[in-house]
């Protein structure tokens, strides 16, 4: 392997100041000397001012005692810094100490900003999902014709006073990739569905249809005539065709990250607004495998007023049906009032197909799916076929169907009934349109002509249904109908029958779950840099020389990332060939985004912008790494050194300053690293290993591990390892007396021997996990150094590296853990990593939803083991009144806490069979996969059992920043070798550091009239994070404060003016208020807000 000849250099203490800053190393990285000097002698006057402020605060806020002591600590720390830096701990090898950090790490959180996490005084919801889980017996009794429910009875006179209003909603569920690829589905089915739709809907104005996947719709639109487009606009305009949700796809809600969820929603909404001039009003998510409470928040922020969900645990459906709670206002757990409420309709039965949507008896409903008329390709499994409706049988058939409608209606509070009519890829032939629409119309005509039946039936769209319901309730859309319950929480994990829990897909195909997040980080970085470079180029009048064609690369990357959020893509539940198709798209976009980043960075770091020339053949910078194929791991670029210096540009995509170790491969051990102004930077030279034992001699410091246990120590952490296994055993933070046991072990789950086995969707283990027992003991390698030390353990199926950073700040406060997993020789096995601690967490643990919010979980003894796994897109933690241990992750995986003090994550699964959910394959295409984590141990200062019992929880600020560091790594871009290098200068886009709790989610340049070109406007999307102040940490090392959610945008972007600022709904479809002259904004905790801005 080539790598034997290479050496790693890690340049550290690289200040990448402020957002997405671009830094140079001459071998170069910038320090700001002025700010450094002021750090050492912090003005005494400021300290006394702070102490006076604290005395005033104590008088005002005695009850906030713990918060004030927190600020006092910070001030004492600051005073200590001012009086001279305490020497960092000396190491055995004196030359290894890091130069002291010359600026105080001072974090002042204003007490008002700590109130949010302590809980609101708002009314509690009628239905709290955590409580519902505790209440239900989950006994799965046979309910008769509705197997998972109960018998429904009614009196025919119940509708005398108020007739039943029935809306039959025709739909076709189109998966953008599952059994076939996106393109194959389009050519074989989707284009025919949409072509027939235009034709058939025009035949009768009473016909209705809904559509949701814009990825398919836009492809079709590009291929149809102007005449057909006009017909579509007419159908939408007159209410016959409704676009529901309007995202690029119907996303998975378990593994998807909120950046990508929002991005695919914007992509769809912007397409709809530009091409059809329509704004979606209702959400439709019938196929995702469980539901996150993040989605209702995003839909509400996009101005939708109602939504439909379907795949919810059958026991919850039955419980809600029995209490008429299937329709509710869905509210965020952290919402102090009702501002996040959105009306939600839950479908009551097993599936969204025709047999399970007209009423409780599938044998009867199937007879009203007229695609299954005798002679067709599909029939009714219940052995009674549909009959075409005629004058002779209409009375009897209509009565039979009405009975089902009435029974279904008894499960809801209103006299308005929603009856979906469709299934996967339905309505692809004109004959099916005729069979369904003509037969149903005959039934409706008959029912509506019989006043004694007290029913009004018709075709409708989703919004027709919601509007009729709101009208009956006497309210405007978006308000809470009188008497309807409020619910908070989420709908994971999902079981569709028996103990068949859909918890396997939280981990299935982890290689692509990881690639998804790499692409997401690159897309965000590319959006930010492209928007800034373009604004600066326009301001300098250089936009004619800037590669505007990069915009179409950005646009295509948005669409490929959006496509992958589909509920059969990121979930790992598509056929092998389809997975390859997704992988090729992701890699293609990743390569293109690196190009966009390089072009923008090139422009922004040029000292003299007039010299800028874009040459597509020779890029100014090279990429930090390359991937040979869609399923290979990245290989880092090696920087070749010679007598003349090599330059590097380092890009920090975060909006906070960051002190990070930046890894770099070079081909010689004789290397120095200098900052932009020629100052030497601390660097550590280490061997680069191509295997457990192969490296270049003489260039590294290695202590072979003895069989005795051993410890590594940095200025922040002491971590101890087992000498025999090389795995972590305990952790202690600096200044703490107590060592916290954090022992790591690997376990293996098998699958059942019975007919139902684990597959891509389902996790059906054969009992508890058994310890992983490789045939050979591991090779353990310990590397120590001034900037980082690490322990690598090489097992047969997993290589772990635990790294300790000896740097101040965020990076040094947590352990970096990575696992390179390869289980390609396993048969029906799943590999899990378990952390066991002394934390008294009992049965409670916490997982994130979409990287946006935290949902408390409870281990339910009454449920099978597999039911207790949950998605972990970004983090999971356990805690007691003393400590919190958080596992941060860079890719979505399944997680649980199966015992007090435990946290367990499934790393990969290899399954040889299908699990009977339609895929028709097992999971046999495993890849070598690298899973990356951060382990953060925090001390809790003011926790109480009462507070911990609440159905809401928040990470600390340190935890939020740790997650950002893990998910948005600094990019190292070597300047390509060239004869005459132009003068380069670091670029810092922000004039001030953002408040710690603000995150720039995106700065997305909007498209011009011509699709492929950028406009002068951009969408600035900000998120203010909710955080918990009760977790203490010394020397936090982030140089930001909080500001009660206030931010001055006017002067934020250095060297650019904010020419206009318009607050809008999340996806820019609705302006909110009038564009004012003020550029000061305020966000509430947890709020995501979008602004249409123009920089110049």
């Amino acid at each position: 392997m080539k790598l034997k000849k290479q050496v790693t250099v890690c340049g550290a203490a690289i200040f990448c100041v402020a957002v997405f800053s671009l830094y140079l190393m001459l071998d170069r990285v910038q320090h700001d000397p002025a700010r450094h000097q002021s750090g050492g002698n912090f003005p005494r006057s400021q300290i006394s001012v702070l102490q006076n402020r604290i005395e005033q605060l104590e008088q005002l806020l005695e009850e906030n005692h713990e918060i004030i002591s927190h600020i006092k600590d910070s001030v004492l720390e600051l005073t200590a810094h001012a009086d001279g830096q305490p020497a960092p701990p000396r190491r055995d090898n004196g030359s290894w100490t890091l130069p002291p950090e010359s600026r105080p790490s001072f974090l002042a959180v204003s007490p008002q900003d700590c109130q949010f996490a302590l809980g609101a005084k708002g009314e509690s919801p009628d239905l709290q999902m955590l409580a519902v889980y505790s209440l239900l017996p989950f006994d799965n009794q046979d309910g008769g014709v509705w197997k998972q429910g109960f018998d429904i009875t009614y009196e025919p006179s119940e509708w005398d006073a108020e007739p039943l209003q029935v809306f039959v909603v025709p739909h076709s569920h189109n998966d953008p990739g599952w059994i076939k690829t996106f393109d194959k589905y389009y050519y074989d089915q989707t284009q025919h569905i949409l072509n027939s739709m235009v034709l058939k809907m025009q035949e009768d104005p009473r016909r209705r249809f809904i559509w949701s996947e814009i990825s398919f719709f836009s492809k079709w639109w590009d291929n149809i005539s102007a005449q057909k487009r006009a017909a579509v606009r007419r159908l939408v305009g007159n209410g016959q065709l409704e676009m529901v949700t309007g995202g690029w796809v119907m996303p998975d809600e378990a593994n998807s990250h909120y950046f990508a969820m929002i991005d695919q929603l914007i992509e769809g909404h912007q397409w709809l607004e530009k091409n059809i001039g329509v704004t979606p009003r209702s959400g439709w998510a019938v196929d995702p495998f469980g539901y996150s409470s993040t989605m209702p928040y995003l839909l509400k922020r996009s101005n939708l007023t109602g939504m439909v969900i379907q795949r919810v645990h059958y026991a919850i459906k039955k419980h809600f049906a029995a209490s008429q709670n299937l329709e509710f206002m869905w509210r965020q757990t952290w919402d102090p009032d009702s501002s996040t409420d959105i009306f939600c309709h839950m479908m009551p039965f097993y599936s969204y197909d025709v047999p399970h949507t007209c009423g409780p008896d599938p044998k009867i409903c199937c007879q009203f799916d007229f695609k299954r008329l005798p002679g067709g390709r599909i029939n009714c499994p219940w052995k009674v076929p549909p009959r075409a409706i005629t004058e002779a049988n209409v009375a009897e058939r209509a009565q039979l169907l009405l009975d089902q409608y009435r029974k279904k209606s008894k499960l809801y509070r209103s006299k308005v009934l929603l009856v979906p009519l469709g299934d996967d890829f339905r309505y692809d032939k004109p004959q099916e349109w005729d069979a369904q629409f003509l037969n149903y119309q005959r039934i409706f005509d008959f029912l509506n002509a019989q006043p004694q039946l007290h029913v009004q039936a018709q075709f409708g769209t989703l919004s027709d249904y919601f509007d009729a319901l709101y009208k009956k309730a006497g309210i405007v859309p978006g308000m809470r109908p009188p008497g309807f319950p409020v619910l908070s929480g989420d709908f994971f994990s999902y079981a569709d029958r028996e103990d068949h829990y859909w918890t396997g897909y939280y981990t299935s195909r982890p290689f692509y779950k990881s690639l998804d997040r790499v692409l997401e980080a690159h897309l965000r970085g590319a959006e930010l840099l492209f928007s800034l470079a373009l604004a600066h180029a326009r301001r300098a009048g250089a936009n004619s020389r800037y590669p505007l064609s990069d915009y179409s690369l950005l646009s295509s990357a948005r669409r490929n990332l959006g496509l992958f959020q589909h509920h059969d893509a990121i979930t790992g539940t598509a056929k092998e060939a389809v997975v390859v198709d997704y992988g090729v798209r992701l890699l293609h976009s990743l390569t293109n985004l690196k190009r966009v980043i390089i072009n923008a960075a090139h422009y922004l770091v040029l000292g003299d912008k007039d010299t800028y020339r874009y040459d597509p053949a020779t890029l100014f910078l090279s990429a930090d790494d390359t991937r040979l194929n869609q399923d290979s791991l990245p290989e880092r670029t090696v920087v070749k050194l010679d007598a003349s210096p090599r330059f590097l540009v380092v890009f920090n995509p975060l909006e906070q300053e960051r002190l990070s170790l930046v890894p770099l491969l070079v081909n010689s051990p004789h290397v120095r690293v200098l900052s932009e102004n020629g100052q030497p930077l601390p660097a550590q030279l280490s061997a680069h290993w191509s295997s457990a034992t192969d490296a270049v001699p003489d260039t590294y410091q290695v202590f072979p591990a003895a069989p005795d246990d051993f410890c590594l120590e940095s200025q922040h952490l002491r971590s101890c390892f087992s000498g025999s296994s090389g795995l972590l055993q305990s952790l202690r933070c600096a200044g703490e007396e107590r060592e916290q046991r954090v022992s790591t072990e690997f376990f293996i789950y098998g699958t059942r021997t019975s007919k139902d086995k684990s597959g891509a969707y389902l996790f059906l283990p054969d009992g508890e996990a058994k310890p992983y027992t490789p045939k050979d003991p591991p090779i353990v390698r310990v590397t120590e150094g001034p900037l980082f030390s690490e322990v690598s353990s090489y097992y047969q199926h997993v290589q772990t590296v635990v790294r300790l950073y000896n740097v101040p700040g965020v990076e040094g406060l947590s352990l970096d853990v990575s696992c390179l997993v390869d289980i390609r020789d396993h048969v029906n096995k799943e590999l899990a990593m378990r952390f066991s601690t002394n934390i008294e967490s009992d049965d409670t643990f916490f997982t994130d939803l979409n990287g946006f919010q935290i949902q408390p979980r409870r281990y339910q003894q009454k449920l099978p083991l597999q039911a207790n796994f949950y998605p972990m897109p970004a983090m999971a933690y356990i805690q007691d009144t003393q400590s919190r241990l958080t596992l941060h992750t860079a890719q979505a995986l399944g997680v649980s806490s199966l015992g007090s003090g435990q946290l367990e994550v499934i790393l990969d699964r290899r399954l040889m069979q299908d699990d009977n959910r339609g895929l028709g394959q097992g999971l046999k295409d495993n890849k070598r996969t690298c899973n990356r984590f951060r382990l953060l141990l925090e001390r809790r200062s003011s926790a109480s059992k009462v507070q911990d019992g609440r159905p809401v929880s928040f990470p600390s600020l340190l935890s939020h920043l740790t997650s950002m560091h893990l998910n948005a790594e600094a990019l190292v871009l070597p300047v390509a070798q060239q004869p005459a290098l132009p003068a380069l200068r670091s670029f810092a886009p922000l004039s001030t550091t953002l408040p710690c709790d603000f995150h720039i989610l995106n700065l997305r340049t909007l498209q011009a009239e011509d699709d492929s070109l950028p406009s002068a406007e951009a969408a600035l999307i900000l998120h203010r994070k909710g955080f918990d102040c009760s977790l203490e940490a010394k020397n936090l090392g982030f140089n930001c404060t909080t500001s009660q959610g206030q931010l001055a945008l006017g002067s934020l972007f250095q060297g650019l003016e904010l020419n206009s600022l318009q607050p809008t709904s999340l996806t820019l479809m609705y302006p909110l208020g009038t564009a004012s002259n003020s550029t000061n904004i305020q966000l509430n905790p947890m709020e995501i807000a979008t602004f249409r801005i123009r920089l110049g």
Side-chain angles (χ1 to χ4, degrees):
M1 215 170 159
K2 297 203 297 290
L3 299 181
K4 287 189 196 171
K5 301 284 188 294
Q6 291 151 13
V7 175
T8 314
V9 167
C10 292
I14 290 163
F15 269 117
C16 302
V17 181
V19 196
F20 21 98
S21 310
L22 293 159
Y23 267 104
L24 302 179
M25 291 204 279
L26 167 67
D27 300 302
R28 277 199 165 201
V29 180
Q30 169 168 13
H31 282 277
D32 175 349
R35 290 180 75 176
H36 273 251
Q37 287 149 14
S38 70
N41 47 2
F42 200 81
R44 292 235 158 239
S45 58
Q46 288 193 25
I47 292 171
S48 60
V49 167
L50 279 165
Q51 285 174 331
N52 288 339
R53 289 275 294 285
I54 282 177
E55 282 161 19
Q56 291 165 14
L57 281 171
E58 278 179 319
Q59 289 159 11
L60 292 167
L61 293 160
E62 279 176 344
E63 71 275 17
N64 280 349
H65 185 67
E66 71 283 353
I67 298 163
I68 285 164
S69 68
H70 184 76
I71 293 180
K72 264 190 168 164
D73 285 350
S74 302
V75 173
L76 292 172
E77 214 175 292
L78 194 58
T79 317
H81 275 290
D83 294 342
Q85 189 87 19
R90 272 191 70 77
R91 307 291 297 253
D92 301 353
N93 175 337
S95 67
W96 281 14
T97 42
L98 188 67
E101 161 55 351
S102 56
R103 276 189 341 196
S105 53
F106 174 53
L107 166 73
V109 175
S110 81
Q112 299 95 304
D113 288 333
C114 292
Q115 287 303 320
F116 178 71
L118 299 174
K121 306 288 183 278
E123 52 164 330
S124 51
D126 309 291
L127 304 166
Q128 215 309 312
M129 287 313 298
L130 210 52
V132 171
Y133 259 88
S134 302
L135 181 84
L136 292 187
F138 293 96
D139 52 2
N140 194 21
Q141 291 176 357
D142 191 328
V145 292
W146 175 19
K147 276 198 84 60
Q148 298 171 328
F150 45 83
D151 275 335
I152 306 171
T153 56
Y154 64 85
E155 296 295 327
S157 59
E158 290 186 39
W159 290 272
D160 289 2
E162 194 184 342
L164 182 62
Q165 204 176 353
V166 181
F167 288 94
V168 173
V169 179
H171 69 98
S172 179
H173 179 67
N174 284 239
D175 290 302
W178 181 39
I179 305 300
K180 302 178 186 178
T181 63
F182 173 77
D183 286 338
K184 187 103 175 73
Y185 270 139
Y186 174 78
Y187 290 116
D188 290 358
Q189 284 149 293
T190 307
Q191 63 169 338
H192 304 303
I193 296 168
L194 292 167
N195 285 331
S196 309
M197 183 267 300
V198 181
L199 205 65
K200 289 293 175 183
M201 296 282 280
Q202 295 182 88
E203 289 179 6
D204 186 338
R206 295 173 296 181
R207 294 181 178 180
R208 298 286 184 273
F209 196 63
I210 61 171
W211 189 267
S212 80
E213 298 81 11
I214 304 304
S215 49
F216 274 131
F217 203 86
S218 69
K219 186 176 176 72
W220 173 67
W221 189 263
D222 290 344
N223 288 298
I224 60 173
S225 65
Q227 194 183 356
K228 231 180 211 180
R229 290 180 179 183
V232 172
R233 290 193 186 103
R234 278 198 304 278
L235 290 169
V236 170
N238 69 16
Q240 281 185 265
L241 171 64
E242 183 182 16
M243 298 311 224
V244 288
T245 309
W248 201 242
V249 296
M250 185 186 290
D252 170 45
E253 301 188 16
N255 303 292
S256 51
H257 190 261
Y258 77 126
F259 173 94
M261 290 170 87
I262 293 170
D263 206 62
Q264 65 85 33
L265 200 59
I266 292 177
E267 194 60 32
H269 284 190
Q270 290 291 296
W271 188 92
L272 282 173
E273 183 179 51
K274 185 169 179 295
N275 292 284
I276 305 183
V278 62
T279 53
R281 295 176 45 205
S282 305
W284 176 256
V286 290
D287 204 26
F289 327 136
Y291 297 92
S292 160
S293 45
T294 305
M295 204 62 189
Y297 178 71
L298 301 182
L299 296 181
K300 172 77 173 188
R301 297 292 300 179
S302 307
N303 237 14
L304 278 73
T305 51
M307 59 184 293
V308 171
I309 60 176
Q310 149 61 23
R311 289 189 184 271
V312 171
H313 194 299
Y314 61 87
I316 291 172
K317 288 188 172 217
K318 176 181 174 176
H319 174 68
F320 281 7
S323 49
Q324 289 190 324
N325 285 332
L326 289 164
E327 291 184 319
F328 47 85
M329 297 305 284
W330 197 345
R331 178 177 300 173
Q332 299 303 308
T333 47
W334 38 264
D335 182 4
D337 47 40
S338 58
S339 63
T340 60
D341 288 13
I342 182 170
F343 186 79
C344 181
H345 170 103
M346 184 190 293
M347 291 162 63
F349 308 123
Y350 171 77
S351 167
Y352 55 80
D353 62 7
V354 183
H356 296 95
T357 44
C358 89
D361 189 345
K363 181 177 178 178
I364 292 173
C365 292
C366 194
Q367 298 171 45
F368 294 91
D369 182 355
F370 296 103
K371 184 185 171 109
R372 302 181 198 239
L373 282 165
R377 290 217 306 229
I378 54 168
N379 53 24
C380 284
W382 296 270
K383 304 285 192 288
V384 185
R387 303 212 295 269
I389 304 301
T390 62
E391 289 274 325
N393 69 10
V394 66
E396 174 261 328
R397 303 310 286 165
Q399 196 64 54
L400 188 62
L401 185 57
L402 178 59
D403 177 59
Q404 290 297 306
Y405 288 170
R406 285 172 167 176
K407 284 176 173 162
K408 181 176 180 179
S409 159
K410 289 288 288 176
L411 307 178
Y412 292 91
R413 294 183 184 226
S414 89
K415 296 283 202 296
V416 186
L417 183 65
L418 173 65
V419 181
L421 181 71
D423 202 343
D424 291 5
F425 294 97
R426 280 302 189 86
Y427 301 98
D428 61 343
K429 295 194 170 58
Q431 299 87 306
E432 185 186 351
W433 285 86
D434 292 341
Q436 303 286 30
F437 281 90
L438 296 171
N439 283 299
Y440 268 97
Q441 195 59 58
R442 285 173 199 137
I443 294 173
F444 298 161
D445 291 345
F446 176 82
L447 289 173
N448 297 343
Q450 309 288 324
Q452 76 283 7
L453 295 178
H454 299 286
V455 61
Q456 170 74 39
Q458 66 230 315
F459 292 117
T461 61
L462 204 46
S463 291
D464 287 341
Y465 168 73
F466 284 129
D467 286 346
L469 188 144
Y470 298 141
K471 192 175 171 187
K472 281 241 165 120
I475 57 161
V476 296
M479 278 178 64
R480 175 177 169 188
F484 280 64
V486 171
L487 174 144
S488 73
D490 70 336
F491 296 102
F492 291 118
S493 287
Y494 168 58
D496 57 350
R497 56 180 190 250
E498 293 145 23
D499 59 355
H500 293 192
Y501 283 84
W502 297 46
T503 51
Y505 83 95
Y506 302 156
T507 294
S508 296
R509 295 188 166 117
F511 178 89
Y512 295 98
K513 286 174 162 65
S514 169
L515 183 55
D516 163 76
R517 293 280 274 277
V518 173
L519 180 63
E520 180 179 304
H522 278 77
L523 177 59
R524 180 178 169 274
E527 295 273 19
L528 296 165
L529 284 186
F530 178 82
S531 296
L532 290 164
L534 188 58
H536 280 278
R538 280 193 172 124
R539 192 176 169 93
N543 47 329
S544 57
R545 286 178 287 139
Y546 193 81
L548 299 180
S549 55
D550 277 5
Y551 188 73
S552 60
L553 301 182
L554 263 183
S555 182
S556 134
R558 294 167 180 172
R559 292 177 173 192
N560 283 335
L561 181 70
L563 187 70
F564 196 68
Q565 305 314 305
H566 163 54
H567 57 263
D568 288 304
I570 193 172
T571 52
T573 57
K575 286 245 192 236
E576 289 177 14
V578 178
V579 172
V580 171
D581 182 62
Y582 288 134
V584 168
R585 289 168 184 270
L586 296 177
L587 179 58
H588 179 68
S589 283
L590 183 59
T591 311
N592 283 340
L593 289 174
K594 284 185 188 292
R595 191 181 188 100
V596 175
I597 287 170
I598 284 167
N599 288 338
H602 175 195
Y603 181 80
L604 292 168
V605 297
L606 271 184
D608 179 3
K609 302 282 189 270
D610 292 341
T611 63
Y612 177 77
R613 292 290 175 276
Y614 167 64
D615 179 359
T618 56
L619 293 179
F620 182 72
L621 303 169
S622 29
D624 53 333
D625 61 22
T626 50
R627 293 175 185 247
L628 285 173
N629 300 304
Q630 55 88 20
D631 59 354
S632 39
L633 289 167
E635 294 193 15
R636 297 198 91 96
T637 305
V638 180
V639 177
K640 299 198 165 36
L641 303 177
D642 52 31
S644 54
R646 287 297 304 272
F647 292 79
L648 301 171
V649 172
V650 180
F651 167 42
N652 168 27
L654 298 184
E655 53 278 281
Q656 309 296 350
E657 288 190 8
R658 111 196 238 175
L659 182 71
S660 287
L661 218 66
V662 175
L664 183 65
L665 289 187
V666 292
N667 64 343
S668 157
H670 306 295
V671 60
R672 277 193 317 159
V673 186
L674 306 176
S675 71
E676 185 177 12
N677 48 18
Q679 296 304 307
L681 282 172
Q684 170 174 332
L685 201 60
S686 304
H688 189 69
W689 300 81
S690 59
S691 75
T693 51
D694 292 332
V696 189
D698 310 326
T699 51
Y700 51 88
Q701 186 91 21
V702 179
F703 301 113
D708 300 340
D709 293 357
F710 61 94
C711 300
L712 293 177
E713 206 161 340
S714 73
Q715 50 188 299
H716 290 308
L717 290 173
R718 171 186 159 90
S719 51
C720 298
F721 298 82
S722 150
S724 57
S725 75
L727 298 177
L728 181 67
Q729 297 299 309
S730 68
L731 204 51
R732 193 180 80 208
C733 301
E736 296 280 321
E737 276 83 76
R738 226 161 51 101
E739 194 103 358
Q740 175 59 257
R741 182 170 80 93
V742 184
S743 72
T744 315
E745 296 160 282
F746 292 100
F747 284 86
I748 296 277
Y749 284 98
T751 187
R752 300 182 175 179
T753 48
S754 66
K755 66 174 185 359
D756 296 312
K757 292 181 165 66
S758 297
Y761 302 91
L762 306 183
F763 179 31
L764 294 170
D766 59 354
E768 292 188 6
K770 297 170 183 60
Y772 166 63
T773 48
K775 55 176 201 288
D776 303 313
I779 293 172
V780 177
R781 194 179 70 226
V782 183
T783 307
E784 289 197 64
L787 305 181
F788 75 87
S789 301
E790 67 182 20
V791 180
S792 309
S793 314
Y794 287 75
Y795 289 88
Q796 187 186 349
H797 300 100
V798 58
Q799 299 168 24
T800 65
V801 179
V802 178
R803 185 178 277 197
L804 202 62
Y805 287 109
N806 190 33
V807 295
V810 175
E811 210 93 319
L813 288 164
S814 57
L815 277 186
D816 191 296
V817 180
S818 63
C819 299
L820 184 61
V821 177
D822 186 351
I823 58 168
R824 287 176 293 184
D825 63 351
H826 275 328
V827 173
N828 277 329
K829 298 278 193 290
E830 313 201 16
L831 179 67
M833 176 168 61
R834 183 182 295 170
F835 299 98
S836 305
T837 71
N838 307 329
I839 293 172
E840 294 169 11
S841 58
D842 300 331
D843 60 355
T844 302
F845 59 111
F846 303 81
T847 67
D848 76 293
L849 290 168
N850 318 103
F852 172 61
Q853 57 184 330
I854 299 294
Q855 177 63 50
R857 308 288 184 194
R858 231 163 253 136
Y859 177 80
Q860 300 283 358
Q861 294 265 271
K862 63 190 169 190
L863 292 178
L865 180 144
Q866 65 269 23
N868 286 291
F869 275 81
Y870 291 93
M872 172 182 64
M875 67 177 83
Y877 52 83
I878 51 172
Q879 63 184 24
D880 57 17
T881 51
Q882 311 283 296
S883 316
R884 174 184 289 183
L885 180 74
T886 306
L887 178 66
H888 289 275
T889 178
Q891 59 287 307
L893 295 166
V895 73
S896 188
S897 170
L898 300 174
S900 185
Q902 286 183 9
L903 208 47
E904 167 172 329
V905 55
I906 309 274
L907 298 174
D908 199 1
R909 40 204 322 260
R910 183 171 173 84
L911 302 159
M912 313 316 283
Q913 63 286 310
D914 181 45
D915 50 10
N916 300 310
R917 291 303 182 278
L919 179 59
Q921 284 183 347
L923 287 177
K924 303 182 200 171
D925 56 349
N926 303 69
K927 318 288 178 206
R928 284 178 73 240
T929 301
C930 186
N931 291 315
R932 295 172 40 245
F933 307 98
R934 281 283 175 92
L935 204 54
L936 175 66
L937 179 64
E938 295 174 284
R939 193 178 68 167
R940 301 184 74 205
S941 59
S942 58
S944 68
K945 285 278 190 206
V946 179
Q947 199 180 326
D948 286 353
R950 289 170 47 237
V952 60
S953 184
F954 298 94
S956 64
L957 275 175
L958 172 61
S959 190
H960 279 306
L961 281 167
T962 303
S963 182
M964 307 268 272
H965 276 229
L966 175 61
N967 281 284
E969 295 183 296
L971 290 185
V972 187
L973 308 167
V975 177
Q977 279 171 307
Q978 46 196 273
L981 195 70
L984 303 178
R985 225 189 5 245
S986 287
F987 167 74
L990 298 190
S991 49
T992 55
T993 299
L994 248 61
C996 304
D997 52 349
F998 269 78
H999 173 46
I1000 296 182
L1001 201 56
N1002 210 341
L1003 179 61
R1004 189 183 206 263
T1005 296
L1006 300 174
Q1007 63 180 32
E1009 275 311 300
D1010 172 349
D1011 276 14
S1012 60
L1013 290 175
S1015 73
E1017 291 188 319
L1020 172 65
I1021 308 175
L1022 298 174
H1023 174 206
R1024 182 180 171 202
K1025 304 195 167 196
F1027 61 92
D1028 184 340
C1029 293
S1030 71
L1031 293 118
E1032 295 182 357
K1034 297 279 183 277
N1035 303 316
L1036 282 169
F1038 33 99
N1039 218 44
C1040 54
T1041 61
T1042 62
S1043 60
Q1044 289 93 66
Q1046 290 174 2
L1047 183 61
L1049 288 179
S1051 54
L1052 187 61
F1053 295 100
Q1054 199 161 294
L1056 292 172
E1057 278 168 33
L1058 186 62
N1059 294 331
S1060 70
L1061 171 73
Q1062 170 66 62
T1064 69
S1065 60
L1066 181 65
T1067 58
L1068 300 111
M1069 302 289 259
Y1070 298 90
L1072 304 176
T1074 50
S1076 69
N1077 290 334
S1078 166
T1079 52
N1080 296 338
I1081 59 155
Q1082 172 146 26
L1083 264 60
N1084 292 319
M1086 292 303 291
E1087 184 177 353
I1088 301 175
T1090 302
F1091 303 87
R1092 188 186 285 270
I1093 67 168
R1094 195 180 283 256
L1095 292 170

